[in-house]
Every structure is written in structure tokens, then in C-alpha cells.
């Protein structure tokens, strides 16, 4: 299975430009043989646009979801993308995965909201989502979520081996890419795809450094600070050494530290 992630500039509230970029990158990834592309957090309508998070938020199954589904079906490539979701009076920092035929595979709402802006814009998510994709149990986390080891551990306990992470990580937090994401992967035997923005978004500047980390903490693909489409060939789960996939069964998971 080939997995891709896209690192690009912020959409800054330009919805049509965002959809055009989604189609361009999905088409390129499909030509490279990828089955799925992971895009950044709040790609629609934009991360650093609290003025738009509520006013442009869409319902699950609404216009944005319909267009995303059609793009996946048109290009024959799945996508996971962050967006602002409205559910009745609540608004969530959400991400949805669509398969290559346009089917909705999973939908997730961010649990660990970061900073005052996110907490003012969004409600907290409460549940994980786990789904099958290309023979792998797969889950979604969003940005700050992956920095908390308990989330990756609980997903591993459910048999997850692949975690897709749309993110919007600013400059000065590059340690998340360099240290924390590989550590989360190694701790729990996961492959983690971490897709960030780069460049300015109003008064915020994103740090790039998107990556795909394998269950041995080694980088399968990594980006610098420019626009990048990364494509990595993931080994079949059956080929991954059992000691990497069975870390959740180690004694320390049951509190046995002796």
C-alpha cells in the first residue's frame, strides 16, 4: 500500500482554491499509485481563521463532504482531510477519511483542543474512530492529540496499526515532528502519518516538517518547510516484526514495572 501526505500553504478561507488544490494533489498521488492522501488540519476553511470556523462550518454529509467524496471517486484516491463541522449548535475541529470509491470510512472530532483560539471556536470531541483500510485497522487523530501517549496506546489496544494525523503545527514546535511523533509510533507499534502546513497564515507561521513514521520510529518519508507531496510504500502488516506490533502486550502496559 502506498500512502501519501500533502504539506502546503494555508487555504486562508478560500474554499474554491482549497478544493482545486485537493483535486490537484489527489490526481498526482493517484498517478504515483497512492491509495490515500492525508491533508492538514482545518484545511477547510483554514486553521487560523476563527472568524470563519463557525460561520462556514458544514454538517457531516453536507456540501463539503459531497464534494470530497466525488473528488476521491473521480481520482481513484482516498483522502483524509481536516475541516470545521457543525452539528446542531456545536462546532468541531473534525477530520474525515474517504476511500478511493468515495465512501466515507471514518469521521473524528479532535479531543485535545490546543490554545484559547481552538477552545473558543470548537467543542471537545469524545470518541475515537477506527476503520479498515487496505487490510489495516486505521484511526484518525488531529494535531495535539498525537502528543498524548494515552491516545495512541488506546488505539493500539484496539488493534490499530495506522494513524492518520492532519495537523497545523506552528514554528518553534518542530520537536513534535522530530521527537514526539516517532516516539509515539515506537511506543505502540504504529505507523503515523503527520500532515502539516508550512508558511504564514495571518499572524501564525507553520513549521512544515510533515512525516510518516514507521513502528520502529524510522522515517518512511519526511518534508522540509516547502510545498511537498510525500508518497511512501508501507510494508504489509504481516511483514512487520511481531515485536514491533505487540508492544501493547508488554508488561508495563499492565503496570508491571519490575
Amino acid at each position: 500500500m502506498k500512502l501519501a501526505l500533502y504539506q502546503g500553504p494555508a487555504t486562508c478561507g478560500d474554499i474554491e482554491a482549497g478544493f482545486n488544490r485537493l483535486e490537484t494533489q489527489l490526481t498526482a498521488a493517484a498517478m504515483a499509485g497512492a491509495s490515500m492522501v492525508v491533508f492538514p488540519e482545518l484545511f477547510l476553511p483554514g486553521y487560523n481563521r476563527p472568524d470563519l470556523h463557525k460561520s462556514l462550518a458544514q454538517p457531516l454529509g453536507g456540501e463539503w463532504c459531497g464534494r470530497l467524496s466525488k473528488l476521491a471517486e473521480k481520482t481513484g484516491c482516498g483522502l483524509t482531510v481536516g475541516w470545521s463541522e457543525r452539528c446542531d449548535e456545536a462546532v468541531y475541529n473534525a477530520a474525515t477519511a474517504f476511500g478511493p470509491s468515495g465512501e466515507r470510512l471514518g469521521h473524528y472530532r479532535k479531543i485535545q483542543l490546543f490554545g484559547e483560539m481552538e477552545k473558543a471556536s470548537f467543542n471537545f470531541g469524545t470518541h475515537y474512530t477506527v476503520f479498515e483500510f487496505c487490510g489495516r485497522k486505521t484511526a484518525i487523530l488531529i494535531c495535539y492529540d498525537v502528543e498524548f501517549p494515552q491516545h495512541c496506546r488506546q488505539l493500539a489496544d484496539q488493534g490499530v496499526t495506522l494513524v492518520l494525523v492532519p495537523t497545523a503545527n506552528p514554528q518553534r514546535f518542530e520537536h513534535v515532528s522530530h521527537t514526539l511523533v516517532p516516539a509515539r509510533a515506537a511506543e505502540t507499534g504504529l505507523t503515523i502519518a503527520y500532515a502539516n502546513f508550512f508558511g504564514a497564515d495571518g499572524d501564525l507561521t507553520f513549521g512544515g516538517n510533515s512525516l510518516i513514521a514507521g513502528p520502529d520510529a524510522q522515517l518512511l518519508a519526511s518534508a522540509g518547510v516547502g510545498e511537498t507531496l510525500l508518497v511512501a510504500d508501507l510494508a504489509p502488516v504481516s511483514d512487520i516484526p511481531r515485536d514491533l506490533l505487540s508492544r501493547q502486550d508488554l508488561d508495563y502496559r499492565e503496570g508491571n514495572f519490575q
Side-chain angles (χ1 to χ4, degrees):
M1 170 193 168
K2 287 187 177 181
L3 177 67
L5 62 78
Y6 172 67
Q7 174 176 290
T11 46
C12 299
D14 191 335
I15 303 301
E16 292 309 310
F19 271 101
N20 288 339
R21 204 177 326 150
L22 285 162
E23 182 171 5
T24 297
Q25 299 303 323
L26 283 169
T27 301
M31 292 177 65
S35 300
M36 171 75 72
V37 185
V38 186
F39 291 85
E41 177 182 10
L42 290 172
F43 194 80
L44 301 171
Y47 180 81
N48 197 27
R49 292 303 304 267
D51 56 318
L52 301 179
H53 291 159
K54 293 181 180 180
S55 63
L56 293 187
Q58 297 272 315
L60 184 63
E63 178 189 356
W64 287 355
C65 283
R67 293 179 69 177
L68 292 167
S69 172
K70 288 178 181 177
L71 279 180
E73 182 179 18
K74 176 181 177 180
T75 60
C77 185
L79 74 151
T80 299
V81 62
W83 58 287
S84 183
E85 177 204 359
R86 179 175 292 280
C87 180
D88 297 324
E89 296 303 311
V91 178
Y92 295 97
N93 182 337
T96 307
F98 295 88
S101 299
E103 70 279 23
R104 190 170 76 222
L105 300 172
H107 180 71
Y108 174 75
R109 295 163 173 170
K110 189 174 185 178
I111 293 173
Q112 304 285 166
L113 297 177
F114 178 81
E116 294 307 313
M117 183 272 283
E118 286 191 28
K119 293 173 184 177
S121 289
F122 303 110
N123 296 75
F124 287 91
T126 57
H127 298 90
Y128 302 120
T129 181
V130 176
F131 54 92
E132 293 287 336
F133 184 69
C134 291
R136 301 167 189 269
K137 273 197 172 181
T138 303
I140 304 170
L141 294 175
I142 299 176
C143 197
Y144 199 33
D145 292 328
V146 80
E147 299 182 35
F148 292 78
Q150 62 267 34
H151 298 311
C152 291
R153 187 155 295 174
Q154 288 190 49
L155 292 173
D157 285 344
Q158 296 179 48
V160 169
T161 61
L162 175 63
V163 180
L164 311 176
V165 187
T167 190
N169 195 35
Q171 284 183 345
R172 300 184 298 107
F173 292 88
E174 287 81 1
H175 64 280
V176 178
S177 295
H178 297 156
T179 303
L180 294 185
V181 173
R184 294 295 89 82
E187 287 165 352
T188 47
L190 297 170
T191 297
I192 301 177
Y194 185 80
N196 197 16
F197 294 108
F198 82 94
D201 184 5
D203 60 355
L204 186 66
T205 301
F206 298 111
N209 286 281
S210 301
L211 72 144
I212 302 173
D216 56 359
Q218 297 301 306
L219 300 188
L220 305 178
S222 60
V225 294
E227 187 170 22
T228 310
L229 179 68
L230 297 177
V231 181
D233 201 347
L234 305 188
V237 174
S238 59
D239 289 352
I240 299 173
R242 294 305 306 168
D243 62 331
L244 296 178
L245 290 178
S246 61
R247 289 178 182 270
Q248 60 268 34
D249 297 324
L250 295 175
D251 286 346
Y252 71 77
R253 299 186 63 81
E254 298 178 355
N256 182 5
F257 296 96
Q258 299 181 356

